[in-house]
C-alpha cells in the first residue's frame, strides 16, 4: 500500500509526459495501485488547469496502450491540477495545497513525488523551485538522465542535490530496469538451482548487451551534441543492465541489499580503455538540423569491458548501441563455453552454429530463449541448433505487466529503490569512463540502416555479434 500521494510533474506538457507519464499515472490511478493520487502539472506553458486537463485527456487518448472506460479517464482528470512556472514557487505551493486538501487522512501521512521531466539544464532550477515553495518535506524526487556528463560534473550535481534532498529522497530513473524482462533476470538467476551454479566464468564464455535503435535524433540535436551515444545510453542504461546480469546474490530481496551488490559490480569494473571502444557516426548526421558541420559526436558505440572479481575475471562483456541502425532491439545474450573436446564426427554440425546461448529480450514482448545442440531425427548423427523459448504474452498474467515508467513511478511512491541508481554508483561509472572521455577514438562513418562501422567485428573477434539473429523468435501459434 502507498500513502496518499501528490505527483508534481515538471515538464508536464513535454513529449515524455504526454507519451508515457500521464497515461502511466492514469493506469496506476485506475488499477488502484495509486488510488489516493493527485497530479499537479507545471511547465513553461501558460495555460489554465482546464486547458491542461484537455491536453492530458488528448494525450491519454492518443498514447495509452490500454482501453479505459471514459468515466475512469474523467475521474482521473478531475484529480489533475496545473500551474505554470511563471506563477513562481508560491503558485506551485498553492496548487499542491489544493491537491492535498482533496486527499484522505492526515497531512503528515501524505507524500509528494516530484518528477523532473525536464532538460538537464532545468533540473537544478526545478529543485530550487521545490525548495523555495517549501515542498521538500515528505517528498521524493525522480531525476531523468543524464546524471552529469563526466566524473567532476556528477560529483558537483550530487553535491548540489544533497543540499536540498537527502540521498534516500532521490530516485535516478532508468526505464530499462523498469521492464519485466530486466527484473526477470533476478528471478531467473537466484530462484533456479539450474542456472545460478553455472553463472560463472568457468561456464560462461562472454556476454553481450545490445541495444540498437532505428530512430535518429528526433529534434534532440542540442541535447545529443553535448552527450553522444556513450553518455546518453551506456552510462545510464547499459551499465545498469550489466550490473543486474553480473551482481552477486544479495542477502535479501530488499532495495539496500540489491543496491549494495550492484555497486560492488561497478567498483570491480576496470576502466574503459579507448583501444577497446569503437565509436561511429552515421553518414548524414552532420547535416541534421542543429548539428555542427565538423561534429565529432558519436551516434554509435561498441565497447569491451571487464569485471575484475572472482566470478567474472577474464570474461569479456560486449556492449553496443547506436542511432539509425538496421533494427531496434534490446537483448542480453549469455554465451556458454563449448565442450573442450568433441566426440562427434567432423560433419555432424556441432560447433557450426556457435556456442549455446541464453538470451533475454528486454523489448515489450519480454521473451527468453535457451539454445542448444540436439540430434536431427534419422540415421547418422547430424546435430542442429534447437531452442526453448518463453514469452510473457503466452501467460495468463500478461495483462498484469506494468509498463516501465509505471513500475518505476509506483516503486518511487513506495520508496522502493531496487531499480534506481545511487550517487555512489553513478559517480563510479563516470570514474571508470575517464580514460575513454579524455582520449576518445575517432568516430567511424557508417551507413544508416546498417549495424555500425566494420571495426565492430574486430572488437568482438574471435566471437560474433549476436544481432542480427540468424534464427528469428518463434511467434505463438494458436
Amino acid at each position: 500500500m502507498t500513502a496518499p500521494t501528490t505527483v508534481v510533474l515538471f515538464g508536464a506538457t513535454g513529449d515524455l509526459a504526454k507519451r508515457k507519464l500521464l497515461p502511466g499515472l492514469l493506469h496506476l490511478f485506475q488499477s488502484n495501485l495509486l488510488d489516493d493520487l493527485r497530479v499537479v502539472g507545471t511547465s513553461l506553458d501558460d495555460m489554465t488547469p482546464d486547458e491542461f486537463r484537455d491536453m492530458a485527456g488528448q494525450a491519454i487518448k492518443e498514447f495509452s496502450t490500454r482501453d479505459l472506460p471514459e468515466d475512469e479517464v474523467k475521474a482521473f482528470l478531475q484529480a489533475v491540477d496545473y500551474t505554470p512556472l511563471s506563477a513562481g514557487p508560491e503558485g506551485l505551493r498553492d496548487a499542491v495545497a489544493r491537491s492535498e486538501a482533496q486527499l484522505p487522512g492526515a497531512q503528515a501521512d501524505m507524500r509528494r513525488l516530484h518528477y523532473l521531466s525536464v532538460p538537464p539544464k532545468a533540473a537544478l532550477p526545478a529543485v530550487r523551485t521545490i525548495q523555495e515553495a517549501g515542498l521538500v518535506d515528505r517528498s521524493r524526487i525522480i531525476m531523468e538522465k543524464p546524471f552529469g556528463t563526466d566524473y567532476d560534473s556528477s560529483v558537483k550535481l550530487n553535491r548540489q542535490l544533497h543540499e536540498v534532498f537527502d540521498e534516500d529522497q532521490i530516485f535516478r530513473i532508468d526505464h530499462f530496469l523498469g521492464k519485466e524482462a530486466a527484473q526477470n533476470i533476478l528471478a531467473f538467476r537466484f530462484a533456479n538451482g539450474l542456472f545460478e551454479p553455472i553463472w560463472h566464468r568457468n561456464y560462461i564464455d562472454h556476454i553481450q548487451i545490445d541495444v540498437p535503435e532505428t530512430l535518429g535524433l528526433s529534434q534532440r540535436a542540442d541535447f545529443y551534441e553535448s552527450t553522444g551515444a556513450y553518455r546518453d545510453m551506456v552510462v545510464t542504461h547499459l551499465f545498469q543492465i550489466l550490473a543486474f546480469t553480473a551482481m552477486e546474490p544479495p542477502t535479501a530481496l530488499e532495495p539496500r541489499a540489491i543496491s549494495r551488490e550492484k555497486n560492488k559490480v561497478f567498483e570491480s569494473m576496470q576502466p574503459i580503455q579507448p583501444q577497446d571502444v569503437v565509436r561511429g557516426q552515421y553518414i548524414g548526421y552532420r547535416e541534421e538540423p542543429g548539428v555542427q558541420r565538423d561534429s565529432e559526436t558519436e551516434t554509435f558505440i561498441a565497447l569491451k569491458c571487464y569485471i575484475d572479481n572472482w566470478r567474472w575475471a577474464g570474461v569479456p562483456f560486449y556492449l553496443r548501441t547506436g542511432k539509425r541502425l538496421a533494427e531496434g532491439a534490446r537483448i542480453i545474450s549469455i554465451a556458454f563455453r563449448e565442450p573442450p573436446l568433441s566426440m562427434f564426427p567432423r560433419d555432424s554440425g556441432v560447433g557450426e552454429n556457435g556456442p549455446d546461448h541464453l538470451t533475454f529480450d528486454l523489448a515489450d514482448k519480454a521473451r527468453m530463449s535457451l539454445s542448444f545442440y540436439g540430434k536431427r531425427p534419422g540415421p547418422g548423427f547430424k546435430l542442429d541448433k534447437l531452442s526453448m523459448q518463453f514469452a510473457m504474452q503466452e501467460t495468463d498474467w500478461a495483462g498484469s505487466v506494468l509498463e516501465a515508467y509505471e513500475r518505476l513511478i509506483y516503486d518511487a511512491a513506495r520508496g522502493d529503490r531496487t531499480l534506481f541508481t545511487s550517487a555512489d554508483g553513478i559517480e563510479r561509472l563516470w570514474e571508470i569512463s575517464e580514460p575513454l572521455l579524455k582520449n576518445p577514438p575517432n568516430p567511424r562513418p557508417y551507413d544508416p540502416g546498417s549495424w555500425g562501422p566494420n571495426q565492430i567485428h574486430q572488437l568482438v573477434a574471435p566471437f560474433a555479434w549476436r544481432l542480427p539473429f540468424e534464427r528469428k523468435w518463434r511467434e505463438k501459434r494458436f
Side-chain angles (χ1 to χ4, degrees):
M1 299 295 293
T2 58
T5 301
T6 294
V7 175
V8 182
L9 182 54
F10 287 80
T13 59
D15 190 61
L16 178 61
K18 292 177 181 177
R19 290 178 176 273
K20 294 294 184 183
L21 304 182
L22 289 168
L25 287 166
L26 167 60
H27 182 239
L28 293 173
F29 176 85
Q30 175 267 338
S31 63
N32 293 326
L33 289 171
L34 288 179
D35 50 347
D36 291 332
L37 171 70
R38 293 294 182 272
V39 178
V40 174
T42 186
S43 76
L44 293 172
D45 292 304
D46 282 318
M47 60 173 62
T48 66
D50 285 338
E51 289 172 335
F52 179 71
R53 292 184 192 104
D54 290 342
M55 186 220 74
Q58 186 59 40
I60 287 165
K61 182 178 180 180
E62 183 176 356
F63 297 114
S64 178
T65 58
R66 301 177 176 89
D67 294 325
L68 294 168
E70 188 65 31
D71 60 331
E72 293 183 357
V73 176
K74 187 177 296 186
F76 171 72
L77 294 176
Q78 289 174 350
V80 171
D81 201 349
Y82 182 82
T83 182
L85 283 172
S86 59
E90 298 81 8
L92 185 62
R93 180 175 61 243
D94 292 345
V96 171
R98 288 196 302 270
S99 290
E100 292 187 340
Q102 301 174 38
L103 290 171
Q107 190 179 56
D109 296 329
M110 297 177 185
R111 282 282 176 186
R112 299 159 183 158
L113 182 62
H114 305 285
Y115 196 120
L116 271 53
S117 177
V118 296
K121 62 183 180 183
L124 287 174
V127 169
R128 285 194 289 271
T129 298
I130 294 168
Q131 183 182 31
E132 291 168 7
L135 299 175
V136 175
D137 291 341
R138 299 184 278 110
S139 286
R140 299 183 179 114
I141 183 170
I142 296 179
M143 301 281 297
E144 281 281 351
K145 65 171 182 138
F147 315 117
T149 56
D150 55 21
Y151 177 73
D152 290 340
S153 64
S154 68
V155 171
K156 181 179 178 181
L157 174 62
N158 285 326
R159 184 175 67 248
Q160 291 172 314
L161 288 172
H162 291 156
E163 290 174 358
V164 181
F165 291 98
D166 294 334
E167 178 64 19
D168 286 347
Q169 294 177 279
I170 303 170
F171 290 74
R172 299 168 186 82
I173 198 167
D174 173 15
H175 71 273
F176 275 43
L177 295 186
K179 295 180 176 295
E180 285 287 342
Q183 299 163 55
N184 220 351
I185 297 170
L186 296 181
F188 204 82
R189 285 190 58 189
F190 301 131
N192 296 294
L194 176 62
F195 290 102
E196 177 53 26
I198 63 172
W199 214 267
H200 192 278
R201 61 185 170 82
N202 291 346
Y203 303 96
I204 290 178
D205 196 60
H206 63 279
I207 293 175
Q208 293 183 25
I209 300 174
D210 215 346
V211 186
E213 298 181 291
T214 58
L215 298 175
L217 297 189
S218 63
Q219 301 179 341
R220 298 170 69 224
D222 289 344
F223 167 76
Y224 207 80
E225 270 289 273
S226 62
T227 55
Y230 185 80
R231 290 179 171 93
D232 183 39
M233 290 291 293
V234 177
V235 176
T236 52
H237 292 320
L238 273 64
F239 280 160
Q240 304 301 322
I241 296 172
L242 181 151
F244 260 43
T245 308
M247 62 188 276
E248 294 294 323
T251 54
L253 193 64
E254 179 268 327
R256 291 185 185 276
I258 292 174
S259 181
R260 202 159 42 235
E261 296 306 329
K262 284 174 57 184
N263 284 343
K264 286 180 183 178
V265 172
F266 299 147
E267 287 295 328
S268 300
M269 288 179 67
Q270 296 181 357
I272 308 301
Q273 300 300 330
Q275 63 267 26
D276 292 331
V277 176
V278 174
R279 296 170 73 236
Q281 186 185 90
Y282 67 76
I283 297 172
Y285 172 76
R286 294 179 179 180
E287 282 70 53
E288 298 275 12
V291 174
Q292 298 178 24
R293 294 297 174 259
D294 59 350
S295 173
E296 294 292 302
T297 299
E298 80 279 359
T299 62
F300 171 96
I301 193 155
L303 62 91
K304 174 171 60 176
C305 61
Y306 292 91
I307 299 172
D308 194 15
N309 62 20
W310 277 55
R311 183 182 290 265
W312 297 113
V315 176
F317 287 72
Y318 296 98
L319 281 58
R320 176 174 63 166
T321 186
K323 300 286 189 185
R324 299 289 301 275
L325 296 178
E327 184 181 321
R330 297 166 182 170
I331 73 156
I332 305 170
S333 190
I334 318 292
F336 293 98
R337 294 191 182 277
E338 298 187 73
L341 293 172
S342 174
M343 67 176 106
F344 298 100
R346 181 168 297 177
D347 61 351
S348 66
V350 67
E352 291 182 3
N353 292 297
D356 300 339
H357 281 89
L358 174 63
T359 302
F360 295 87
D361 184 350
L362 304 186
D364 293 336
K365 290 188 177 181
R367 299 177 290 198
M368 293 185 290
S369 172
L370 178 63
S371 68
F372 49 88
Y373 285 99
K375 181 183 176 300
R376 184 185 299 177
F381 229 105
K382 190 71 174 176
L383 301 179
D384 285 326
K385 208 61 179 280
L386 309 175
S387 68
M388 293 188 295
Q389 297 185 6
F390 159 80
M392 190 73 67
Q393 313 300 54
E394 299 176 5
T395 68
D396 293 335
W397 22 269
S400 300
V401 174
L402 292 176
E403 292 190 1
Y405 282 101
E406 296 171 354
R407 171 62 190 265
L408 293 167
I409 291 171
Y410 177 60
D411 282 358
R414 294 187 301 130
D416 185 338
R417 305 179 58 83
T418 302
L419 303 177
F420 296 87
T421 308
S422 69
D424 290 344
I426 199 69
E427 288 175 12
R428 171 58 182 169
L429 290 177
W430 285 121
E431 184 180 18
I432 66 170
S433 302
E434 286 289 281
L436 172 62
L437 298 179
K438 289 179 178 178
N439 187 28
N442 293 329
R444 308 280 186 165
Y446 66 95
D447 291 322
S450 70
W451 285 97
N454 290 332
Q455 288 78 7
I456 62 172
H457 304 296
Q458 301 166 16
L459 176 71
V460 79
F463 314 118
W465 289 102
R466 190 84 167 108
L467 285 175
F469 287 132
E470 292 183 1
R471 293 172 299 281
K472 297 296 183 183
W473 290 92
R474 292 194 296 270
E475 299 298 333
K476 184 177 180 180
R477 297 185 179 92
F478 293 96

